[in-house]
Amino acid sequence: MPTVLMSSQKYFLKFLNGVMTYLYQQIRGVINDIGNNRLKVHSKKNLGFLKTFGELGTGATNYHVPSGGCGDSSNYYVSDEANNRLVKLSKSSGGIVLEKRIDHNTLADSSLTCGDKEIFMLYNRFSDTELDVSDVILESRDKGNLELKARTMV
């Protein structure tokens, strides 16, 4: 981790959000390896490496900036930002169960948290009404079909 703070507050906050998202996901065993465009799975007991899913690309099993992720007992959920989608993967096979188009217009800034019946997705989005302004969007999505349940700007 760098010891010198970035001069721009906007970029520092984005950096801090990325670090916190990484640590949060690592504790749960799911790491989105943005630099290698893949999802990594680690043991919850000792954080030992278990497996990876995906590689760079735009195909069904590819990722391009997978920046948010979470998991439950059956599935992993990944925000694949440059491919503008939310992906539901089978834990056992790594195969895609379902995907939904997401209107991201920024990269590497999504956070996902799994609830019992929903996924909470937090991401930045350039404002439709103001130049050089980002809106922070919070969504609740159904875990079964990934349909949007609620959206608000925070």
Side-chain angles (χ1 to χ4, degrees):
M1 188 157 40
T3 56
V4 179
L5 298 181
M6 297 177 196
S7 60
S8 168
Q9 182 181 13
K10 179 171 77 174
Y11 291 109
F12 175 70
L13 291 175
K14 200 171 199 179
F15 167 77
L16 185 60
N17 180 47
V19 169
M20 294 309 292
T21 299
Y22 172 80
L23 293 174
Y24 181 80
Q25 292 164 352
Q26 186 174 26
I27 291 167
R28 282 160 178 72
V30 180
I31 299 172
N32 293 356
D33 186 355
I34 295 173
N36 292 307
N37 295 289
R38 64 186 179 180
L39 177 69
K40 292 177 67 179
V41 181
H42 287 253
S43 166
K44 291 181 183 179
K45 288 183 180 180
N46 63 14
L47 297 180
F49 173 76
L50 297 174
K51 56 187 164 185
T52 62
F53 299 114
E55 61 187 4
L56 177 62
T58 58
T61 59
N62 299 118
Y63 301 104
H64 193 182
V65 190
S67 67
C70 65
D72 60 23
S73 61
S74 304
N75 300 296
Y76 296 118
Y77 304 86
V78 180
S79 173
D80 185 15
E81 292 189 19
N83 287 327
N84 296 306
R85 64 186 181 164
L86 176 63
V87 181
K88 180 178 179 179
L89 300 160
S90 167
K91 266 191 175 181
S92 59
S93 70
I96 293 179
V97 175
L98 185 64
E99 68 177 76
K100 280 290 179 185
R101 303 305 294 167
I102 304 291
D103 189 18
H104 289 115
N105 65 10
T106 61
L107 295 177
D109 64 359
S110 291
S111 296
L112 296 180
T113 300
C114 289
D116 291 336
K117 296 182 181 183
E118 61 271 326
I119 299 166
F120 299 97
M121 184 172 185
L122 183 70
Y123 60 94
N124 292 328
R125 186 174 194 311
F126 288 122
S127 175
D128 292 330
T129 59
E130 298 181 52
L131 293 176
D132 200 30
V133 173
S134 288
D135 297 327
V136 179
I137 308 297
L138 175 61
E139 294 182 351
S140 171
R141 291 185 169 268
D142 183 272
K143 281 173 82 173
N145 60 19
L146 302 181
E147 290 295 327
L148 182 66
K149 293 170 71 174
R151 177 186 290 144
T152 189
M153 191 174 3
V154 294

